[in-house]
Amino acid sequence: MIKTAQDIIIKPIITENSMMAQQFKKYTFKVAKNTNKIEIAKAVEELFGVKVAKVNTVSVKGRFKRMGRSEGYKPDWKKAIVTLTEDSKTIEFFEGMM
């Protein structure tokens, strides 16, 4: 199965910590669980036209949730923290957030 950049990068993660990390050119994304760091770096470079220095990934366990008597877990997911190179431009999508 051929993965496109849109299949790999699911959505950006907008939290206080991820917004603070932007001043160090670090951006956080929710990514597909079966992708590796090289595929994530190529997808970010293709989608946003930037240069990636490194990628850190974290496998996040789904939280326990209750709804009345029903209980279960949310699905597990993968988070990628992408660091851009010093001479790279910023990602415009995140510009209006701060």
Side-chain angles (χ1 to χ4, degrees):
M1 184 172 128
I2 299 172
K3 299 178 206 168
T4 63
Q6 287 83 5
D7 294 336
I8 295 171
I9 306 294
I10 297 172
K11 67 178 185 177
I13 296 176
I14 311 295
T15 61
E16 266 188 67
N17 282 337
S18 67
M19 291 293 115
M20 291 297 203
Q22 284 182 19
Q23 56 191 330
F24 304 110
K25 292 198 173 188
K26 291 186 179 189
Y27 297 93
T28 310
F29 298 98
K30 181 177 181 179
V31 296
K33 279 177 64 172
N34 57 353
T35 57
N36 58 34
K37 293 180 180 186
I38 297 166
E39 292 172 334
I40 294 168
K42 287 181 182 175
V44 170
E45 287 176 351
E46 180 184 325
L47 282 177
F48 301 107
V50 294
K51 295 180 196 167
V52 174
K54 69 178 185 174
V55 176
N56 295 347
T57 58
V58 180
S59 293
V60 181
K61 188 162 171 47
R63 294 189 307 140
F64 180 75
K65 293 291 283 183
R66 288 183 55 131
M67 194 73 154
R69 291 190 304 174
S70 305
E71 56 187 35
Y73 287 89
K74 288 191 150 200
D76 298 344
W77 55 284
K78 192 173 197 177
K79 174 168 63 171
I81 300 159
V82 178
T83 306
L84 304 181
T85 58
E86 288 295 324
D87 59 339
S88 177
K89 65 182 180 104
T90 60
I91 298 177
E92 289 92 23
F93 175 80
F94 290 96
E95 290 299 317
M97 301 290 176
M98 293 200 49

